[in-house]
Amino acid sequence: MKALVSYPDLCTGCRLCELACAFRVGKTMHPARSRITVVKWEDTGFYLPFTCLQCEKPACASACPVEAITRREDTGAMVVDAERCIGCGMCQVSCPFGAACVDRGTRVASKCDLCDGSPRCAEICPASAIRYQDEQEAAAHRRRSQVARALSHPEIFPGGEAR
């Protein structure tokens, strides 16, 4: 199985991922329709492409009163059945990461569905800051990133250095 992984250190904040996603989802180039968001800290120049984490035990699916959010077996993505969704917003309220919403135009829950196993955001990213990669490789990346981040705080690890 594959996972969508962000590499914030490579992200330039260009937001092409948002446009590609918005076009795929709603045939518009409006970032508000995108299922991925680039969170920006302008003062530090830090950009974080963020989307649904496809949680193992997704709160959005548990909160849905009509069971409109289910996992696709082939991609592992949590997907919304638009015919079943009643637009109540319980998925939006329950997601601890803010990755689900109700589309204002369609009144249907909206979240990343991994583009049926070929995420446009990862394909279009010119800096390879978003990658669709093997879960084990993604987990190794997360571990390395967390260690590097921890070592960059001398108040926590005196003498530690990211390598």
Side-chain angles (χ1 to χ4, degrees):
M1 199 67 67
K2 288 185 164 188
L4 203 56
V5 182
S6 294
Y7 290 79
D9 52 323
L10 298 177
C11 183
T12 62
C14 70
R15 301 176 69 189
L16 282 175
C17 54
E18 292 179 356
L19 295 177
C21 180
F23 189 75
R24 180 189 176 270
V25 171
K27 301 294 181 231
T28 179
M29 296 302 275
H30 197 290
R33 298 291 309 270
S34 176
R35 296 172 179 173
I36 187 166
T37 301
V38 177
V39 181
K40 296 181 174 189
W41 284 265
E42 297 284 355
D43 56 328
T44 60
F46 182 79
Y47 308 104
L48 174 64
F50 184 78
T51 190
C52 176
L53 299 176
Q54 312 297 340
C55 300
E56 187 175 322
K57 294 180 181 176
C60 59
S62 297
C64 181
V66 294
E67 299 178 355
I69 301 175
T70 57
R71 187 174 307 278
R72 271 184 62 166
E73 293 298 322
D74 58 340
T75 63
M78 297 305 297
V79 296
V80 177
D81 181 340
E83 299 294 321
R84 188 173 256 193
C85 178
I86 58 175
C88 67
M90 290 303 295
C91 54
Q92 183 175 353
V93 171
S94 65
C95 178
F97 306 106
C101 67
V102 175
D103 188 292
R104 290 181 184 180
T106 63
R107 299 297 307 152
V108 171
S110 178
K111 58 171 291 315
C112 175
D113 62 1
L114 299 176
C115 299
D116 300 324
S118 185
R120 291 290 301 138
C121 57
E123 291 173 1
I124 202 162
C125 181
S128 299
I130 305 167
R131 299 178 192 170
Y132 190 53
Q133 59 190 165
D134 179 74
E135 278 184 348
Q136 291 184 355
E137 186 180 341
H141 166 71
R142 281 192 291 270
R143 285 192 297 271
R144 284 192 299 270
S145 295
Q146 289 171 347
V147 168
R149 202 170 319 141
L151 291 176
S152 69
H153 292 277
E155 70 277 11
I156 299 171
F157 294 97
E161 254 181 49
R163 296 167 202 208

